[in-house]
């Protein structure tokens, strides 16, 4: 899919990535650190992570099409290079979301039974929590860097720093 209603699909799909990756990262860290949240989120966590993961190649494919239809520019190339690096982060979010969901399903809800569950063992929860936090931060930072480079590529020569028309505003 390259065009939607005459617009390059990339400029629309990118909004899905910008919303789903940070939302998935937040949900993952919350569920990894707080087992009750993992149980409450249930299957929504890996489903959300899967949607975020699936949105990345869809968006990058549309971006590659767009790259071939704009003038050659170093800022566009930089944005494309950065965009290619998001898939491993999204995959990490998905894998960890599946682990947290699966482990949360197996963990007993009763406090007395938790001590017998491997998932509730503190070292396991710490490792999963640290990994989740690291991947979540990496993914969100990467989305920010990609978005910033994309905005610079799209807007660097597309506006004037001074107002060009008189619309009654002196901003």
């Amino acid at each position: 899919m390259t065009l939607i209603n005459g617009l390059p699909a990339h400029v629309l799909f990118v909004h899905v990535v910008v919303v789903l990756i940070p939302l998935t990262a937040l949900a993952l860290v919350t569920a990894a650190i707080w087992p009750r949240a993992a149980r409450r989120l249930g299957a929504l966590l890996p489903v959300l992570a899967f949607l975020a993961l699936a949105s990345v190649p869809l968006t990058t494919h549309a971006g590659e099409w767009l790259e071939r239809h704009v003038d050659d520019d170093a800022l566009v190339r930089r944005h494309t290079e950065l965009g290619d690096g998001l898939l491993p982060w999204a995959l990490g979010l998905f894998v960890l979301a599946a682990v947290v969901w699966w482990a949360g399903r197996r963990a007993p809800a009763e406090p007395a039974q938790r001590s017998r569950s491997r998932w509730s063992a503190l070292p396991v929860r710490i490792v999963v929590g640290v990994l989740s936090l690291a991947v979540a931060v990496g993914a969100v930072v990467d989305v920010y860097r990609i978005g910033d480079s994309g905005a610079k590529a799209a807007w660097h020569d597309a506006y004037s720093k001074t107002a060009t028309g008189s619309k009654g505003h002196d901003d």
Side-chain angles (χ1 to χ4, degrees), residues 82-107:
L82 288 172
D84 288 340
L86 185 58
L87 190 58
W89 291 112
L91 182 60
L93 287 174
F94 174 71
V95 168
L96 284 166
V99 166
V100 168
W101 168 73
W102 181 79
R105 284 183 51 232
R106 301 190 70 227

Side-chain angles (χ1 to χ4, degrees), residues 41-74:
L41 283 169
L44 179 63
L45 179 62
V47 167
L48 180 65
F50 178 77
L51 292 173
L53 173 62
S55 71
V56 172
L58 184 67
T59 304
T60 54
H61 173 72
E64 289 165 359
W65 178 89
L66 181 58
E67 181 185 23
R68 291 187 303 271
H69 290 84
V70 298
D71 293 336
D72 187 36
D73 184 304

